[in-house]
Amino acid sequence: MSKYKATTSTAVIRVADGAVIPDDPNNMDYQEHLKWVAAGGVVDPIDPPTQAEIDAAAQAIKDRQDRQNAKADNKFQNLISKTPAQAKNWVQNNFPSLTPAEQNDLATVVQAVCILARSL
């Protein structure tokens, strides 16, 4: 086992204590690392990602694409621009068979969706 482990940046990890040592010539720990490498030390490679990390990265990509696709949709853009009063009017105009209480509940949900849509 090596004394140091590579990272995805230019920093290295000191295996003994897990300290992240930045690529900084003024850092004493980094100077020690350079001396160790000059003396023939070999830094351990980066650990391959776990399946959970791969899955999380794939989900993040899918989520970003879903947000981009939603933002490109005209109906979504219409939703973003609705004020609370417009959302309530939209519910009343499009769901006349609901009772006033049901319309108010649905309007509250639509208003929440409008607010959330703006955060994407």
Side-chain angles (χ1 to χ4, degrees), residues 1 6 18 27 29 40 42 47-50 53 60 66 72-73 75 83 86 92 103-104 114-115 117:
M1 182 193 295
N27 182 303
D29 291 326
V42 177
D47 289 332
T50 65
E53 291 169 330
D66 288 348
D73 183 89
K75 290 180 184 178
T83 65
Q86 290 170 325
Q92 290 171 343
Q103 286 180 343
N104 284 335
C114 292
I115 293 166

Side-chain angles (χ1 to χ4, degrees), residues 4 6 10 13 17 22 33-35 37-39 51 54 61 63 79 87-88 92 100-101 103 105-107 110 115:
Y4 297 96
T10 57
I13 296 172
D17 61 1
H33 158 73
L34 292 177
K35 289 177 188 172
V37 169
Q51 188 60 49
I54 293 168
I61 291 168
D63 290 347
L79 192 62
K88 186 171 185 174
Q92 290 171 343
Q103 286 180 343
D105 289 346
L106 182 56
V110 171
I115 293 166

Side-chain angles (χ1 to χ4, degrees), residues 12-21:
V12 293
I13 296 172
R14 186 171 44 219
V15 175
D17 61 1
V20 177
I21 301 171

